[in-house]
Amino acid sequence: MRLLEYEAKKILAKAGLIVPAGFILPSDSDLSKTHVDLHYPVVVKSQVPIGGRGKAGGVQIVTHHDDLRSTCSNIARLKIGDHLPTNLLIEPKLDIIREHYLSLVINRDTALIQLIAHKNGGVEVETNKNFYREDITLNTSGSVAQKITNFFEDTDVHQLEKIIRNLFACFVENDMLLLEINPLVMTTSGTYICADAKVELDDAAAFRHPDWHFEDKPSEVNFVTLDQNGMVATIANGAGLAMATVDAVASAGMRPANFLDVGGGANKDSVLQAFKRIMEYPHIKAIVINIFAGITRCDEVAQAIITARHEINNLPPLFIRLAGTKFEAAATLLEQQQIPTLTTLEACLEAVKQQVNE
Ligand code: GDP
Ligand code: MN
C-alpha cells in the first residue's frame, strides 16, 4: 500500500532521518476557530496518494498568516488526479540550495535492494536521464556514499553515509517496496532534509506489523510493480495465469511493468482500481488483459473495461483476450463499444509488439 507523505515522514523521523517539523491539519478544519502558531513562511501540502502535487498546485508557500486560511481551503478543495486530501501537511518552508533524488527499490533480478540517485531532483525528475543505480548492502553503504557525494558535487560524505544507512535500515525494517526521497534538499545551513517522501509497503508483510494503521489499507488485489518504467502493463486473473502473462510479455522482448492477479472475485470495482494504478506508471504504451474466467465473469470485466475507457483520460491501447464464464455476453458488450478482443494471448502480444515499436 501507498503511504501518504506525512505517514512516510513519521517513519523516516523514527529511523533518524531529518524531515521538516510539520503538523497535520484535517482538510475540513475551520481555521477561524483553530489556533495555529506558525513561523512564516510555511509550505502547505495536499496529502493525496499521488505524485506531481507541486505542478498541480497542491504545494503552496504561505508568507503571511492572513493568507493561510484561503490557501488551506483552496488546497483542501483541489482535486489532484482522482483524489481530494483528507489532511494537509504544514511545514516550515525550507531554504533550498539544491534538490537531489534518492530512492531505494527492490531489484528483482538480483534480489537485493537497489539505490537510485540523481543530482537533479524535484518536480522535473521524470525528464532526467542517466540515473545512478547500484545494489547496496549495509557493508557497502560507505563506498556508495562516497560515489553519491561526488555525484551530488558535495564533500560531506559522513552526512550522506548516515542518510543511506538510515534509509536502508528503514526500508528493511518496514518491509518497503519503494522508498523515494524527492527532493532530498540541501539547505543553506548545510543539512540534507527529506522534503518529500513516497513509500510503498509490501501488503504481504502486513501480518508482521500490527502497528500499521494508515489512511490506505492493504490491498485485497494482488498487485506488484515489477518495473516502474515498463511499457506493457498486465491484468490477469489467477496467480498462475498472471505470472504466465508477465513471462509471456518478457519472452516477447518487452518490459512488463506489473504483475496483477485480479483474483477469482474480480469485479468492476477491483478491475477499475487496477486500471487507475497502472495509469500512474509514466511509460505505459499498452495494457494486456488476459482473463480465463471461472468464478470471475467476463461480462463484469467487460463492464470495467468500458467504464475505464470512459473515465480514464489517455488510456493506452488495450489488448484483450477473454475466455470462459459469460464470454458471449462480454463479447457483445465490447462489440457495441467497438472494443476489439483477440482469441489468444499470442495474438495479443503480436499486436502489442507492433504498438510498442511504433
Ligand atoms: P510533489 O510535487 O508531489 O513531488 O511535491 P514536493 O514536496 O516534492 O514539492 C514540489 C516542489 O516544491 C519541490 O520540488 C520544491 O522545488 C518546491 N518547494 C519549495 N519550497 C519547498 C519547501 O519548503 N518544502 C518542500 N517540500 N518543497 C518546496
Ligand atoms: Mn516530490
Side-chain angles (χ1 to χ4, degrees):
M1 70 188 129
R2 169 88 186 255
L3 298 191
L4 291 162
E5 177 190 9
Y6 78 94
E7 296 170 325
K9 281 179 165 170
K10 261 191 220 165
I11 295 181
L12 291 177
K14 247 193 221 165
L17 289 141
I18 304 178
V19 300
F23 79 96
I24 271 291
L25 185 77
S27 305
D28 57 5
S29 309
D30 183 352
L31 269 181
S32 60
K33 294 188 184 127
T34 315
H35 176 74
V36 282
D37 190 13
L38 296 171
H39 293 282
Y40 290 87
V42 296
V43 53
V44 180
K45 308 183 74 180
S46 175
Q47 296 300 286
V48 286
I50 187 168
R53 296 165 304 163
K55 282 189 171 175
V59 178
Q60 301 275 348
I61 291 159
V62 177
T63 35
H64 295 290
H65 182 71
D66 301 345
D67 302 329
L68 184 67
R69 223 169 110 186
S70 63
T71 301
C72 287
S73 90
N74 288 342
I75 295 181
R77 282 181 286 137
L78 176 73
K79 225 179 184 185
I80 304 180
D82 243 4
H83 309 275
L84 274 173
T86 313
N87 290 297
L88 309 179
L89 176 62
I90 303 184
E91 297 178 337
K93 167 151 175 46
L94 302 171
D95 291 320
I96 301 176
I97 299 182
R98 302 191 306 266
E99 298 188 33
H100 302 300
Y101 175 93
L102 207 56
S103 71
L104 295 177
V105 294
I106 290 179
N107 181 345
R108 290 174 186 276
D109 294 328
T110 56
L112 291 167
I113 294 169
Q114 184 172 74
L115 180 137
I116 305 175
H118 203 286
K119 180 170 186 279
N120 304 318
V123 294
E124 299 294 347
V125 79
E126 302 284 310
T127 61
N128 285 350
K129 292 202 173 68
N130 304 321
F131 281 83
Y132 170 87
R133 290 169 183 271
E134 184 163 343
D135 287 351
I136 63 167
T137 64
L138 270 186
N139 294 333
T140 60
S141 61
S143 64
V144 170
Q146 182 62 61
K147 285 186 215 168
I148 301 292
T149 309
N150 300 341
F151 207 55
F152 288 178
E153 292 174 39
D154 190 3
T155 50
D156 190 349
V157 188
H158 290 294
Q159 203 183 162
L160 279 165
E161 182 174 2
K162 194 172 159 209
I163 289 169
I164 292 168
R165 273 179 176 280
N166 286 341
L167 286 176
F168 186 89
C170 182
F171 189 95
V172 174
E173 276 162 29
N174 292 284
D175 284 304
M176 292 180 181
L177 297 172
L178 168 73
L179 169 52
E180 182 183 87
I181 310 297
N182 183 36
L184 175 68
V185 159
M186 169 51 76
T187 59
T188 43
S189 61
T191 310
Y192 282 110
I193 296 189
C194 303
D196 185 18
K198 174 175 169 184
V199 163
E200 181 115 18
L201 299 175
D202 185 353
D203 289 346
F207 74 97
R208 274 204 285 261
H209 301 276
D211 55 322
W212 276 4
H213 302 293
F214 302 110
E215 287 194 30
D216 195 11
K217 296 282 162 270
S219 167
E220 311 213 326
V221 179
N222 195 355
F223 186 110
V224 181
T225 295
L226 302 172
D227 181 351
Q228 191 77 28
N229 295 313
M231 288 199 268
V232 182
T234 68
I235 298 179
N237 71 311
L241 189 63
M243 276 191 274
T245 307
V246 165
D247 285 349
V249 170
S251 301
M254 298 173 290
R255 289 161 74 183
N258 72 305
F259 163 97
L260 169 57
D261 163 18
V262 286
N267 56 32
K268 203 176 129 191
D269 281 347
S270 61
V271 177
L272 199 57
Q273 218 43 50
F275 274 114
K276 287 182 179 161
R277 288 189 66 172
I278 285 170
M279 291 307 289
E280 288 181 23
Y281 298 130
H283 304 298
I284 292 297
K285 284 195 169 173
I287 303 178
V288 176
I289 301 171
N290 190 16
I291 303 288
F292 191 88
I295 303 167
T296 303
R297 289 173 34 183
C298 287
D299 59 334
E300 279 214 57
V301 175
Q303 280 294 3
I305 292 170
I306 291 165
T307 310
R309 288 249 305 212
H310 284 302
E311 285 188 8
I312 301 175
N313 289 330
N314 307 319
L315 193 69
L318 309 177
F319 299 87
I320 308 167
R321 179 258 178 169
L322 296 174
T325 310
K326 295 275 180 186
F327 166 73
E328 280 79 14
T332 311
L333 283 171
L334 292 172
E335 250 165 48
Q336 283 165 357
Q337 303 284 326
Q338 275 118 42
I339 301 174
T341 56
L342 292 156
T343 47
T344 64
L345 179 59
E346 289 67 33
C348 283
L349 293 175
E350 267 312 306
V352 171
K353 246 186 186 170
Q354 285 181 7
Q355 171 73 27
V356 169
N357 292 331
E358 243 173 32

